[in-house]
Amino acid sequence: MIATGSANAVSLNTIFPSIAVSDAFEAVTNGMHNPEVLERLADEGRESADWINMINAIQAFYKQDFMLMCRWLDEVPDDCLAGSLKKVLRHMSGDTPAENLGFYEEKLAKRITEDSRFLSSAIEQLKESIEYGEELFVETVSLLIKEVKKSPAAAESLALWSFRICIENDFDDETLADNIIMLFGQAEGLRLIGLSLLETEPESALICFTRSLIKKLVDRTLSKEDAEAALEIIGTLISACHPDDPVLIDISEMLTMLESELILFFNLGKMPRRNDPAGRVSAMLDLLSGRSADAAAEDEVDVEYESASETTTVTKEPSVSIPKGEAVQLELF
Amino acid sequence: MEYKDLLEIAAGKSNENKDISDAVKKWLSPPPLDKPEELEKLISTRYRYTGPGKWMKILREAAKS
């Protein structure tokens, strides 16, 4: 809903023919667009149809498709309320001179068409901060990531770039890693850190991806397809390790936790027993995708769940008790 | 899937010839920026969305007249 004071409420009602049209107008000026909803609204009558054509014109303007914008504007009569925006849109697309605009029209046009100075300035500051060392760089990039987080892919790409800059400039990236986890949360933060380490430290990437997967399972924020994908990546990283690599010992305990969380989350039943890390990941993948249901019956690790006591017990070799849920989280993170 | 495939996906290179699921690609994305200026292309449009407030002023003026 458009936030307005009570004094404005009346004028809002007189401006838009319905709440739905008002919502559609709000959405398009906030960068969202739902053509299906608009199509439905256009059937509500002439006044709604004029607004829908105007909303489509605004959408085309933001997409910088000015020919399409003009086609939509031609459908809006000059003498209706929606038509009062035609002049400003035509001006912003370069058609109408500024002197034909009113005070608010000119202000809006300026606001929308001016360069994104904040962003340009922030990028310059970020580049300069590299010269002043890791502390200022990490602080600057963390602030910028926070600022642009409403565009998740952009924020993540920036985070990954910042790790690369740390490597190139021999900066200690520990504080950056802490900030990334704080900004994106543990599960996503660990995934991003793993991604940043994939080329330079694949063993550390393996640990990060495994911890990220466990955290997502603990948080219950994962589909089976996503879990399978993570296991494929983890398996590939394990296969790339030298058989004597110490990380394969380190990963063993995490794989035990991972097995438990997978069984609990996806209600998988029995996990086939394997000793080597690659075999264990492969067994998890098989069980998750239902490929090893028959084999599992012969060669398995029994897992009991004590939901009341929040404890999962692996009863065959290796015989260990694994805390579940948040307890696992505390131990790992 | 091999280690070099992971690196290629993480770098945003095309793996059209490989049978790699979208879910794997999702775990390994997005690629990092090559330079921070690329950020402007990714998000500058968002900074130009004003919300309805600024537009409403024009409409209220028109409604009064």
Side-chain angles (χ1 to χ4, degrees):
Chain A
M1 285 298 297
I2 298 168
T4 54
S6 57
N8 292 327
V10 176
S11 60
L12 250 187
N13 289 341
T14 59
I15 285 170
F16 295 109
S18 70
I19 298 286
V21 173
S22 164
D23 287 348
F25 183 81
E26 180 179 14
V28 79
T29 54
N30 274 324
M32 291 170 279
H33 191 53
N34 190 336
E36 284 173 18
V37 171
L38 292 183
E39 218 167 285
R40 241 179 10 248
L41 290 175
D43 295 335
E44 286 183 1
R46 182 67 253 167
E47 202 183 347
S48 287
D50 290 342
W51 272 111
I52 299 318
N53 289 331
M54 176 51 71
I55 287 167
N56 279 321
I58 296 172
Q59 161 74 4
F61 165 77
Y62 277 121
K63 294 276 176 206
Q64 297 187 19
D65 186 345
F66 300 134
M67 278 175 69
L68 179 63
M69 182 198 86
C70 287
R71 285 207 296 275
W72 285 116
L73 286 183
D74 288 342
E75 299 294 318
V76 183
D78 290 339
D79 55 357
C80 70
L81 204 48
S84 57
L85 294 174
K86 288 173 78 170
K87 206 160 54 172
V88 72
L89 274 177
R90 289 197 193 282
H91 167 68
M92 288 193 293
S93 64
D95 262 7
T96 310
E99 55 261 31
N100 291 346
L101 297 182
F103 176 73
Y104 289 121
E105 290 168 332
E106 196 177 341
K107 229 175 162 182
L108 173 64
K110 197 174 170 192
R111 171 79 191 272
I112 293 180
T113 53
E114 71 185 358
D115 291 336
S116 47
R117 285 182 205 155
F118 161 77
L119 197 56
S120 311
S121 158
I123 289 169
E124 281 310 307
Q125 284 178 38
L126 177 62
K127 284 159 64 182
E128 282 173 26
S129 73
I130 299 171
E131 295 167 25
Y132 290 93
E134 65 194 37
E135 198 176 325
L136 187 62
F137 172 69
V138 168
E139 192 183 332
T140 310
V141 79
S142 300
L143 284 171
L144 189 52
I145 290 169
K146 190 177 175 188
E147 181 64 35
V148 303
K149 258 201 82 193
K150 279 185 186 167
S151 302
E156 289 175 5
S157 289
L158 177 61
L160 293 168
W161 171 85
S162 65
F163 278 112
R164 181 189 285 174
I165 293 300
C166 283
I167 291 167
E168 286 174 4
N169 292 275
D170 215 13
F171 291 167
D172 181 355
D173 60 5
E174 197 175 325
T175 311
L176 177 62
D178 288 344
N179 289 353
I180 294 300
I181 285 178
M182 193 177 68
L183 287 164
F184 291 95
Q186 285 180 335
E188 267 304 283
L190 285 165
R191 183 186 73 82
L192 288 171
I193 295 167
L195 202 45
S196 75
L197 295 169
L198 200 57
E199 189 168 1
T200 52
E201 295 178 45
E203 300 83 4
S204 303
L206 167 61
I207 299 286
C208 288
F209 280 123
T210 308
R211 289 173 64 184
S212 174
L213 175 55
I214 294 171
K215 182 70 176 113
K216 287 184 184 210
L217 288 166
V218 170
D219 290 347
R220 309 295 189 251
T221 57
L222 203 68
S223 69
K224 193 177 265 194
E225 195 185 19
D226 286 338
E228 285 175 1
L231 285 171
E232 280 185 50
I233 293 166
I234 291 166
T236 303
L237 285 170
I238 288 173
S239 301
C241 289
H242 189 276
D244 298 329
D245 196 314
V247 77
L248 295 181
I249 296 167
D250 297 340
I251 200 78
S252 180
E253 191 181 346
M254 285 187 197
L255 292 182
T256 304
M257 293 177 184
L258 186 51
E259 285 163 350
S260 299
E261 288 300 334
L262 278 172
I263 288 168
L264 283 167
F265 186 36
F266 293 111
N267 199 19
L268 293 177
K270 315 256 177 172
M271 181 68 70
R273 188 174 55 207
R274 300 283 187 273
N275 291 324
D276 62 302
R280 290 175 71 181
V281 172
S282 174
M284 284 185 247
L285 255 175
D286 285 348
L287 193 62
L288 200 57
S289 60
R291 285 195 293 262
S292 65
D294 296 336
E298 293 178 7
D299 187 20
E300 65 200 23
V301 174
D302 292 333
V303 181
E304 292 175 359
Y305 314 112
E306 297 173 20
S307 55
S309 61
E310 295 292 295
T311 302
T312 303
T313 306
V314 178
T315 55
K316 284 189 180 176
E317 185 182 86
S319 180
V320 287
S321 289
I322 304 159
K324 156 187 155 187
E326 291 304 305
V328 172
Q329 183 186 348
L330 288 174
E331 190 170 327
L332 268 177
F333 308 102
Chain B
M1 188 165 62
E2 296 173 20
Y3 174 57
K4 66 179 173 57
D5 295 323
L6 300 186
L7 295 180
E8 282 181 12
I9 299 166
K13 291 179 187 165
S14 170
N15 282 73
E16 283 171 5
N17 297 328
K18 303 259 182 181
D19 185 20
I20 291 168
S21 72
D22 287 342
V24 167
K25 290 176 186 169
K26 196 172 116 193
W27 266 88
L28 299 173
S29 67
L33 300 175
D34 280 328
K35 50 187 180 179
E37 285 84 352
E38 289 177 355
L39 210 53
E40 292 205 62
K41 280 188 207 153
L42 291 173
I43 62 169
S44 63
T45 309
R46 181 171 72 76
Y47 280 88
R48 297 175 188 210
Y49 289 111
T50 57
K54 300 262 175 201
W55 298 80
M56 293 301 295
K57 285 179 183 166
I58 297 169
L59 294 169
R60 286 199 187 101
E61 286 297 303
K64 273 187 218 165
S65 57

